[in-house]
Amino acid sequence: MTDTQRLSQWLRECRHNVFLGGAGLSTASGIPDFRSAHGLYMEKKRGVSYEEMLSHDYYQRHTAAFYDFLRNVMLYPDAKPNRAHYALAKLEREGLLEAVVTQNIDGLHQMAGSKNVIELHGNEDRYLCQKCGHVYNMRYVMECEGIPCCSCGGQLKPDVVLYGEMLNQEDLRRAIAYAERAELMLVAGTSLVVYPVAGLVRYLQEGARLVIVNRDPTPYDGAADLVIRGDLVEALAEAAELDG
């Protein structure tokens, strides 16, 4: 039995399964992982780290530069789900996955058909007017020049968690609740070093299975019941018995 076949079997044996994913899940959709996305752009911005440029403070003090970085580096309006996203949506439809908890802001899980998605870091397709609360989408922001504003004149802010901001506490509580009841947690495409999201693994109860599918080692590999290296898209597609 291969590792992916074992994962498939475990998913079908356990009643409460939850998925926790990160940037590695979307690289096959043409979205570079968080750090490698910034190479050439950051060469032009020496002395300013990407953490600073994606901080709440930078958004407030250098709003035009913030949106320049967003448009040139962070936004991928033409990205489409890959087989990993479709595999997870299939597992949910079959009752084999209760929730998708993601660090990604690209919305590809929902595009693939997943319904119960907890976006801990927000969604890059939502921009809120700071004056009237009206919601705009990514296309609107991409087509604007400079700082995007609402028809009422208010400034827009992306509905994502910037450095220096807290996670949405209700979303975090929901994710913890799923982790606590999980009989199996499937982790893929994340280094498990960013907290508090990485700490969700610690909420697994005794006897729950932890499966990690990731290109590189993570701090939790030693605690996992199964670690799968290699192509996570193919691993998830095979585990979900996704055709094509």
Side-chain angles (χ1 to χ4, degrees), residues 14-51:
C14 298
R15 293 179 302 164
H16 304 294
N17 303 321
V18 62
F19 175 82
L20 174 62
L25 202 74
S26 294
T27 54
S29 294
I31 302 177
D33 67 72
F34 193 63
R35 286 165 175 77
S36 62
H38 311 141
L40 292 176
Y41 186 89
M42 295 312 294
E43 283 295 311
K44 302 175 185 177
K45 302 288 183 182
R46 291 186 182 278
V48 184
S49 68
Y50 64 81
E51 286 98 340

Side-chain angles (χ1 to χ4, degrees), residues 184-231:
L184 183 148
M185 176 180 281
L186 171 58
V187 179
T190 175
S191 58
L192 289 176
V193 296
V194 177
Y195 287 83
V197 178
L200 289 172
V201 174
R202 298 178 180 174
Y203 286 93
L204 289 174
Q205 302 299 301
E206 185 176 354
R209 287 167 168 162
L210 173 63
V211 179
I212 298 176
V213 185
N214 202 52
R215 179 189 63 190
D216 302 315
T218 81
Y220 289 92
D221 286 359
D225 298 277
L226 179 63
V227 176
I228 301 176
R229 294 278 180 257
D231 189 327

Side-chain angles (χ1 to χ4, degrees), residues 152-172:
C152 78
Q155 183 175 297
L156 302 189
K157 181 181 182 296
D159 189 17
V160 299
V161 179
L162 301 174
Y163 284 95
E165 295 180 331
M166 291 182 62
L167 299 186
N168 180 293
Q169 294 303 292
E170 177 57 29
D171 287 340
L172 184 57

Side-chain angles (χ1 to χ4, degrees), residues 106-207:
D106 51 45
L108 296 184
H109 286 292
Q110 294 93 323
M111 201 180 300
S114 291
K115 302 299 183 186
N116 191 18
V117 181
I118 302 174
E119 297 175 306
L120 291 176
H121 291 163
N123 190 303
E124 65 185 5
D125 198 34
R126 294 192 301 265
Y127 297 80
L128 309 180
C129 175
Q130 301 300 285
K131 185 176 180 180
C132 73
H134 189 75
V135 180
Y136 290 82
N137 62 21
M138 185 197 310
R139 291 287 181 182
Y140 177 83
V141 170
M142 293 291 287
E143 292 169 0
C144 289
E145 293 184 4
I147 301 171
C149 291
C150 177
S151 58
C152 78
Q155 183 175 297
L156 302 189
K157 181 181 182 296
D159 189 17
V160 299
V161 179
L162 301 174
Y163 284 95
E165 295 180 331
M166 291 182 62
L167 299 186
N168 180 293
Q169 294 303 292
E170 177 57 29
D171 287 340
L172 184 57
R173 281 193 291 271
R174 288 182 61 214
I176 290 172
Y178 279 112
E180 288 178 331
R181 66 179 271 151
E183 294 181 6
L184 183 148
M185 176 180 281
L186 171 58
V187 179
T190 175
S191 58
L192 289 176
V193 296
V194 177
Y195 287 83
V197 178
L200 289 172
V201 174
R202 298 178 180 174
Y203 286 93
L204 289 174
Q205 302 299 301
E206 185 176 354

